[in-house]
């Protein structure tokens, strides 16, 4: 046929009627076609895409796929470097030839991944088949490249077997998907990816039950072109059952190696479980001390059935400094900075000192600005590797339209992760504050407990495209000056849903409710009452400007209801647009009677993706504009609004 498919067929056809099918790894620019360890078509000029320096060689591509199958055409075009790089010239004529010859195997791999084992591929440059061109060939400018692919028939499994398949898991956490349920069974299409995945699942099923060195030792794949079927047999060798052996640590400088080993959570003598290794890696990452951390298993299981584990780490510099900012046309500029030491005493203890100032631009009087300064100390690994001790103290002056607060507050307690999704915290809290508002000047001294539980399945906290976030917070406290016991309850939920597989269209929603039980408003610290408004609440209104109407202005309420909806659209790789609507209600009573107005804001925004999250620019309009509300508001910040 004059192409690579013809070559593959001549290699694969034995005297028998059945032919050996080719199972390849996923397409990769630097990999040759591989048949279960036997590498085909591995020639330096065709398989290795080394840098070729020469006069730029422009070219134009015609891509023709026989039949009317859009999915196959999309997959083939995505696999072809000639097609994906068509806007840029090649590195000389030799570079174009290398790119074209590499496309043979990439396209062949793509066909196998679509269960097309009888296809043909033709790539020509200026009418000449690439496979027959010499390395010093010359081409027109621009060269005329034509790629023609006939995918051939769809092959199905005639038989799909796994020898030594793992028994059903007794622990539901060890359950691995059955390859048959993933398409590895008779009658189903037989793409190479399904066979590869079946082997991985068969191995993982044994590993989940403690057989750390399980592997596929034999693959017997036979293709029958006359019946367009595949017979596949995978032979698995589970090896010996293993328990975790000793955990050793290397690469530490300031860190305590014994503490690092403990923080993995791996207990020597317990049954080997790959999930435990994954959790160990996540625990080390959460310490925020290491630039890199790798967990390696020993090559062999010891005679006693133990498998030693080695942790190799590279530490970060212990100190870090950061700055940030935000802007709103109604709240002004905000600046913040922090200094962080992430390894105070050699066990990843973190000390963070931070400060911020807000309201810049609305006034030049320092007494009218909002300030906050404080420190937080975190000690990980208290009681369990997933429990942190946290203590913080902050002093602040907050100047809002509704009140001015000057005070100091502190927290001390514990945070614990039950799983990747579920976490909780419990803190003792206390503070003193002086408030100036429509009720006059009042002092408050409070002490209480703050507890919360969080469930989070978001794929990216700063720019989620799927998953949910739910949080419940309960804060009972006692206020000493007025002698009131109170309880503050807040529940919030967020949900994210991608409308397409590439997450270019994402619908996001948020709901929040709160209640403050028992004390009268006049005897409650205003910062314990509920307000709404601002960039993370109801956009279009000033920060904490939505409350309960009183004769002299606005006071906080004892109930809160908020909701937001956004449609996020990614226009390019880095630029997105957002349309949103926010709503908020603050009521005088703990159980809202809806006697106050519901405030609604609508708007649109731009997003620019960066490595640390999207930069956000939103413009919002209040639909229920009051006498002190703006006609429109602009918000600038980092990260999505929720």
């Amino acid at each position: 046929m004059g192409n690579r498919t013809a070559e593959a067929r001549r290699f694969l056809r034995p005297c028998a009627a059945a032919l050996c099918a080719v199972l390849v790894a996923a397409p990769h620019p630097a990999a040759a076609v591989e048949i279960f360890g036997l590498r085909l078509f591995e020639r330096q000029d065709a398989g290795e895409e080394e840098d070729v320096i020469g006069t730029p060689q422009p070219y134009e591509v015609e891509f023709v796929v026989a039949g009317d199958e859009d999915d196959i055409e999309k997959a083939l075009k995505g696999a072809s470097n000639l097609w994906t790089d068509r806007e840029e010239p090649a590195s000389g004529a030799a570079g174009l030839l290398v790119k074209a010859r590499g496309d043979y195997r990439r396209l062949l791999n793509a066909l196998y991944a679509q269960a097309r084992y009888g296809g043909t591929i033709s790539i020509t440059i200026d009418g000449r088949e690439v496979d027959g061109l010499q390395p010093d060939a010359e081409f027109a400018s621009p060269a005329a490249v034509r790629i023609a692919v006939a995918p051939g028939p769809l092959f199905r499994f005639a038989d799909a077997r796994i020898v030594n398949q793992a028994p059903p898991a007794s622990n539901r956490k060890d359950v691995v998907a059955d390859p048959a349920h993933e398409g590895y069974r008779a009658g189903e299409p037989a793409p190479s990816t399904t066979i590869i995945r079946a082997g991985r699942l068969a191995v993982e099923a044994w590993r989940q039950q403690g057989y750390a060195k399980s592997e596929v030792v034999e693959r017997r794949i036979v293709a029958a072109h006359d019946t367009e079927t595949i017979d596949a047999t995978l032979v698995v060798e589970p090896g010996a059952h293993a328990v975790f052996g000793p955990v050793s640590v290397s690469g530490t400088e300031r860190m305590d190696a014994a503490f690092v080993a403990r923080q993995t959570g791996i207990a020597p003598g317990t049954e080997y479980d790959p999930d435990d290794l994954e959790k160990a890696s996540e625990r080390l990452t959460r310490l925020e001390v290491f630039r890199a951390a790798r967990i390696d298993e020993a090559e062999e299981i010891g005679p006693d059935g133990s498998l030693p584990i080695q942790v190799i780490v590279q530490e970060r510099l212990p100190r870090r400094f950061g700055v940030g900012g935000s802007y709103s046309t109604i709240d002004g500029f905000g600046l913040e900075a922090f200094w962080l030491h992430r390894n105070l005493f050699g066990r990843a203890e973190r000390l963070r000192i931070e400060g911020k100032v807000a309201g810049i631009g609305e006034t030049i009087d320092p007494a009218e600005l909002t300030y906050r300064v404080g420190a937080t100390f975190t000690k990980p690994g208290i009681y369990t590797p997933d429990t942190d001790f946290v203590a913080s103290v902050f002093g602040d002056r907050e100047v809002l339209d509704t009140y001015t607060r000057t005070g100091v507050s502190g927290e001390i307690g514990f945070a614990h992760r039950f799983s990747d999704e579920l976490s909780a915290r419990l803190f003792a809290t206390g503070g003193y504050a002086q408030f100036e508002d429509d009720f006059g000047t009042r002092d408050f001294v409070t002490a209480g407990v703050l507890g919360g539980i969080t469930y989070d399945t978001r794929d990216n906290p700063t720019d989620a495209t799927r998953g949910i976030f739910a949080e419940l917070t309960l804060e009972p406290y006692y206020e000493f000056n007025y002698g009131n016991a109170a309880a503050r309850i807040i529940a919030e939920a967020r949900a994210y849903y991608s409308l397409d597989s590439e997450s270019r269209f994402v619908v996001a929603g948020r709901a929040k409710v709160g209640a403050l039980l028992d004390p009268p408003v006049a005897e409650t610290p205003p910062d314990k009452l509920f307000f709404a408004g601002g960039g993370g609440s109801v956009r279009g209104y000033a920060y904490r400007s939505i409350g309960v109407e009183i004769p002299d202005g606005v006071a906080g309420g004892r109930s809160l209801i908020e909701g937001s909806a956004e449609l996020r659209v990614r226009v390019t790789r880095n630029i997105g647009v957002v349309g949103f609507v926010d709503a908020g209600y603050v009521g005088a009573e703990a159980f809202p009677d809806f006697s106050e107005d519901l405030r609604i804001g609508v708007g649109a925004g731009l997003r620019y993706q960066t490595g640390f999250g999207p930069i956000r620019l939103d413009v919002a309009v209040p639909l229920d504009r009051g006498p002190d509300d703006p006609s429109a508001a602009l918000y600038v910040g980092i990260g999505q609004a929720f």
Side-chain angles (χ1 to χ4, degrees):
M1 294 183 187
N3 55 47
R4 293 299 175 91
T5 305
E7 180 182 348
R9 286 184 175 179
R10 287 195 299 270
F11 180 85
L12 295 173
R13 286 189 183 274
C15 297
L19 304 176
C20 293
V22 179
L23 183 62
V24 295
H28 188 285
V33 174
E34 185 170 317
I35 307 178
F36 308 115
L38 176 62
R39 297 171 68 85
L40 301 182
F41 321 139
E42 188 178 19
R43 297 191 345 215
Q44 180 69 28
D45 58 350
E48 301 295 333
E49 296 220 12
E50 60 184 12
D51 292 334
V52 181
I53 301 175
T55 303
Q57 173 66 63
Y59 65 94
E60 297 175 347
V61 184
E62 178 188 8
F63 206 117
V64 180
V65 179
D68 186 20
E69 298 182 82
D70 293 339
D71 290 345
I72 293 181
E73 181 173 344
K74 182 179 179 180
L76 290 169
K77 286 182 174 179
S80 168
N81 279 357
L82 286 169
W83 178 259
T84 56
D85 298 342
R86 64 190 182 280
E87 302 296 333
E88 300 292 334
S91 300
L96 179 61
L97 191 57
V98 167
K99 190 185 293 286
R101 286 178 169 168
D103 260 12
Y104 277 118
R105 60 179 173 79
R106 280 186 289 270
L107 293 171
L108 196 61
N109 288 354
L111 286 176
Y112 295 157
Q114 297 289 327
R116 308 296 175 127
Y117 298 94
T120 60
I121 301 169
S122 173
I123 303 176
T124 62
I125 303 178
D126 292 339
R128 295 173 288 173
E129 189 71 34
V130 166
D131 203 36
L133 292 174
Q134 297 300 313
D136 59 352
E138 297 182 356
F139 308 117
S141 182
V145 177
R146 186 176 190 272
I147 303 172
V149 182
L154 177 71
F155 278 61
R156 295 181 178 274
F157 286 112
D159 191 15
R161 291 183 294 164
I162 296 176
V163 178
N164 292 334
Q165 190 166 5
S170 57
N171 188 330
R172 64 179 182 85
K173 294 182 179 180
D174 295 336
V175 173
V176 175
D178 188 334
H181 297 160
E182 301 295 313
Y184 185 72
R185 63 178 182 269
E188 293 293 320
S192 59
T193 51
T194 296
I195 302 175
I196 293 171
R197 176 166 170 75
R200 290 173 179 167
L201 290 174
V203 167
E204 185 63 17
W206 280 109
R207 284 171 54 82
Q208 286 289 338
Q209 298 183 46
Y211 293 82
K213 299 304 179 181
S214 171
E215 62 179 330
V216 176
V217 295
E218 184 180 358
R219 300 173 178 86
R220 297 193 295 268
I221 315 297
V222 177
H225 285 261
D226 54 346
T227 59
E228 299 167 2
T229 58
I230 294 286
D231 285 340
T233 301
L234 304 176
V235 181
V236 180
E237 175 53 56
H241 185 269
V243 297
F244 283 118
V247 179
S248 60
V249 178
S250 63
T252 54
E253 298 176 10
R254 304 173 185 86
M255 283 290 291
D256 182 338
F259 175 78
V260 175
R262 176 183 178 274
Q263 279 301 109
T264 64
I266 297 173
T270 59
E271 182 180 82
Y272 169 88
D273 189 336
D275 295 338
D276 290 344
L277 296 179
E278 184 177 346
K279 292 177 183 177
S281 179
E282 293 170 355
R283 290 187 182 106
L284 296 181
T285 299
R286 288 199 302 268
L287 292 176
E288 300 180 9
V289 174
F290 303 117
R291 180 180 292 110
R294 189 176 81 245
I295 300 177
D296 290 342
E297 305 173 10
E299 291 293 328
E300 296 181 355
I301 299 172
D304 60 350
S306 66
L307 181 67
I309 301 296
Q310 183 178 24
V311 180
I312 305 169
V313 299
Q314 183 180 7
E315 295 182 14
R316 290 175 170 173
L317 294 175
R319 297 170 184 84
R320 179 185 174 193
F321 176 80
V323 296
S326 61
Y327 173 73
S328 163
T329 53
I330 52 181
D331 299 320
F333 284 99
L335 297 175
E336 56 188 77
F338 72 87
W339 177 88
L340 173 68
H341 195 303
R342 48 188 157 209
N343 189 17
L344 272 177
F345 309 120
R347 293 195 171 189
E349 300 91 348
R350 296 190 297 275
L351 176 64
R352 179 186 174 102
I353 300 174
E354 59 188 285
K356 74 173 184 178
V357 57
I360 304 171
E362 290 194 312
T363 178
I364 60 174
D365 183 359
E368 296 299 318
L369 299 179
T370 290
Y371 302 93
R372 179 175 170 85
V373 63
T376 301
F377 174 77
T378 303
K379 181 175 177 55
I382 296 293
Y383 303 122
T384 79
D386 297 310
T387 307
D388 296 346
F389 169 80
V390 183
S392 65
V393 59
F394 283 91
D396 62 309
R397 177 175 173 82
E398 190 175 25
V399 180
L400 303 174
D401 292 338
T402 49
Y403 65 80
T404 296
R405 177 189 186 276
T406 304
V408 61
S409 60
E411 294 182 347
I412 185 169
F414 301 93
H416 181 79
R417 290 179 67 96
F418 295 99
S419 68
D420 292 339
E421 298 82 19
L422 187 64
S423 60
R425 64 191 188 279
L426 183 64
F427 293 92
T429 65
Y432 161 81
Q434 182 180 84
F435 291 88
E436 300 173 29
D437 60 6
D438 293 326
F439 292 99
T441 300
R442 297 167 296 159
D443 294 341
F444 295 92
V445 178
T446 60
V449 176
L450 175 64
I453 187 166
T454 302
Y455 181 76
D456 189 354
T457 64
R458 294 174 295 178
D459 56 343
N460 182 350
T462 62
D463 188 18
T465 61
R466 58 180 59 86
I468 62 174
F469 172 91
E471 185 173 56
L472 176 65
T473 302
L474 175 63
E475 183 185 6
Y477 68 89
Y478 185 81
E479 199 289 308
F480 292 90
N481 281 356
Y482 291 90
N484 290 321
R488 196 168 188 259
I489 306 169
I490 300 175
E492 183 174 8
R494 308 172 193 172
Y496 308 86
Y497 181 74
S498 295
L499 299 179
D500 64 303
S501 59
E502 298 179 351
S503 297
R504 292 186 61 241
F505 298 88
V506 177
V507 176
R510 177 183 71 94
K512 182 178 181 179
V513 296
L516 178 66
L517 302 180
D518 287 344
V521 170
E523 297 180 3
T524 300
D527 61 342
K528 299 293 187 184
L529 296 170
F530 293 107
F531 292 88
S537 176
V538 184
R539 285 163 283 188
Y541 300 86
Y543 175 67
R544 293 175 70 85
S545 65
I546 301 173
V548 177
E549 299 290 339
I550 60 175
D552 296 326
V554 176
R558 296 167 62 197
S559 60
L560 170 72
I561 301 174
E562 282 184 358
S564 298
E566 288 192 350
L567 175 61
R568 303 170 183 173
V569 180
R570 193 174 73 242
V571 179
T572 68
R573 181 177 180 180
N574 294 322
I575 297 176
V577 296
V578 172
F580 60 83
V581 57
D582 299 331
Y585 172 85
V586 176
E589 302 300 327
F591 298 96
D593 56 12
F594 298 99
S595 59
E596 303 293 329
D597 292 333
L598 176 69
R599 301 300 179 92
I600 301 174
V602 299
L606 289 174
R607 304 290 185 266
Y608 182 79
Q609 295 292 338
T610 68
F612 48 83
I615 296 176
R616 179 178 79 253
L617 187 152
D618 287 335
V619 178
V621 176
L623 297 186
D624 302 277
R625 183 184 175 192
D628 297 326
D629 293 325
S631 57
L634 174 69
Y635 303 89
V636 179
I638 296 176
Q640 297 285 3
F642 61 89

